[in-house]
Amino acid sequence: MPVQVNGRRVTFSAPLNSSAIIGDFTDDSDRPIPLLAGQSVTLEFPAKAHVEYAFLNDRGQRMADPDNLSGANHPWYKEYRSVSLAGFTPPLEPNPVAPQGRTESLSWASTLLGGTRRAYIHLPHGYDGSKTYPVFYVQDGVAFRRTGRLGALHDSLVWQGRISPAIEYFFNPRYPEYLLLEVLPRVENQFAVAKNRASRGLWGASLGGLTSLWTAMQHSDIFGRVVAQSAAIQGQPGQTYQRGAAEWLLGQYLTAPLLPLELSLDCGQLE
């Protein structure tokens, strides 16, 4: 049976072989709601919410709702589906008529981490090597580049006059030292990016948000801006991430001296 919406209440009906339903409202698969085939569950969500969900089969594997064709554009799992409550405002989409920039790639043999590392650099439309552009170093780069289409959104906002052109660098550094010693020198030597803290930013989601905030706290003399979306601030360096743990990074910021950082923080309604 198709998913049913009644005001703030949403009724989900389990398909064949279902054992549970999951989503952000269950911390993904950490706290699944048991739901066998043929059963239904009604949940109440915040007004104007956008809900992404999937079912688990009897083997604990994610499975899509066969009666809902509205995909969630999930960066990791294609099985997620979505449902929106009345009043939900969809996120900004790239404008197809906006002049597009171009994306270039870098690769090198890493001294610190070993193996070949790859990076993508999105250059704005009309990029001019004689000018200097602000730059964001984006953690969780594959998700932002492919799923989030950050480069295309940047081009649209520049075309609309809402932001100034910037250069976006997509990568997943594991340690701030790697970012500082191997990544920044390559980007700054090859592209026309600013080399001052006010024009350098960090951006990331989930673990990438944690990495960005942690790196900025340690190196506020190098980075002046941070965008963190749904940052996993429970994570600690050298330890396995655990949901529900104390918000370690919040404690670090509370005890740190006042830092000259501009922060933009956000998370979903259901987190």
Side-chain angles (χ1 to χ4, degrees):
M1 180 183 296
V3 61
Q4 302 290 317
V5 179
N6 183 13
R8 290 173 51 189
R9 295 177 179 269
V10 181
T11 300
F12 303 92
S13 299
L16 188 66
N17 298 323
S18 172
S19 66
I21 186 171
I22 61 173
D24 281 340
F25 49 91
T26 68
D27 284 339
D28 191 50
S29 59
D30 281 10
R31 298 183 293 110
I33 299 173
L35 196 64
L36 300 178
Q39 295 180 339
S40 297
V41 63
T42 298
L43 304 175
E44 185 171 316
F45 295 100
K48 304 179 183 180
H50 177 74
V51 182
E52 298 182 353
Y53 69 98
F55 295 103
L56 296 179
N57 63 21
D58 49 17
R59 297 184 301 279
Q61 300 169 324
R62 291 173 178 81
M63 55 185 290
D65 183 348
D67 296 318
N68 186 357
L69 300 181
S70 181
N73 201 25
H74 197 284
W76 297 289
Y77 302 113
K78 65 181 184 302
E79 295 86 1
Y80 273 80
R81 295 293 182 262
S82 65
V83 59
S84 300
L85 276 60
F88 167 69
T89 302
L92 179 68
E93 292 288 335
N95 191 316
V97 304
Q100 299 296 298
R102 70 180 191 273
T103 300
E104 298 190 4
S105 63
L106 293 176
S107 63
W108 66 92
S110 172
T111 301
L112 291 176
L113 302 182
T116 299
R117 301 290 155 177
R118 182 171 290 107
Y120 297 94
I121 299 90
H122 184 79
L123 304 175
H125 175 73
Y127 170 76
D128 184 346
S130 66
K131 298 180 179 179
T132 300
Y133 298 85
V135 57
F136 273 103
Y137 293 84
V138 184
Q139 279 58 246
D140 285 347
V142 173
F144 274 103
R145 176 172 174 259
R146 296 178 182 173
T147 305
R149 296 177 292 170
L150 184 58
L153 286 170
H154 163 270
D155 295 335
S156 295
L157 292 171
V158 170
W159 177 66
Q160 294 170 8
R162 296 172 63 179
I163 64 172
S164 299
I167 290 177
E168 294 141 6
Y169 162 73
F170 303 90
F171 207 77
N172 269 318
R174 286 188 284 174
Y175 304 101
E177 291 79 9
Y178 175 66
L179 181 65
L180 297 177
L181 297 178
E182 290 198 9
V183 179
L184 260 70
R186 282 178 169 82
V187 174
E188 293 184 347
N189 289 337
Q190 189 163 337
F191 300 96
V193 300
K195 300 178 182 179
N196 60 82
R197 59 171 305 279
S199 298
R200 285 196 195 101
L202 295 162
W203 196 322
S206 190
L207 182 58
L210 167 69
T211 301
S212 298
L213 288 166
W214 180 40
T215 301
M217 184 180 70
Q218 293 180 319
H219 301 285
S220 61
D221 58 325
I222 296 176
F223 300 100
R225 300 176 178 180
V226 183
V227 179
Q229 298 171 289
S230 303
I233 58 177
Q234 299 96 334
Q236 299 186 37
Q239 295 188 17
T240 302
Y241 171 74
Q242 296 180 352
R243 292 181 187 271
E247 295 180 335
W248 171 81
L249 189 63
L250 177 60
Q252 300 299 304
Y253 267 87
L254 287 174
T255 57
L258 185 64
L259 301 173
L261 294 172
E262 293 183 38
L263 303 181
S264 174
L265 311 175
D266 72 75
C267 66
Q269 280 184 300
L270 303 179
E271 296 181 75

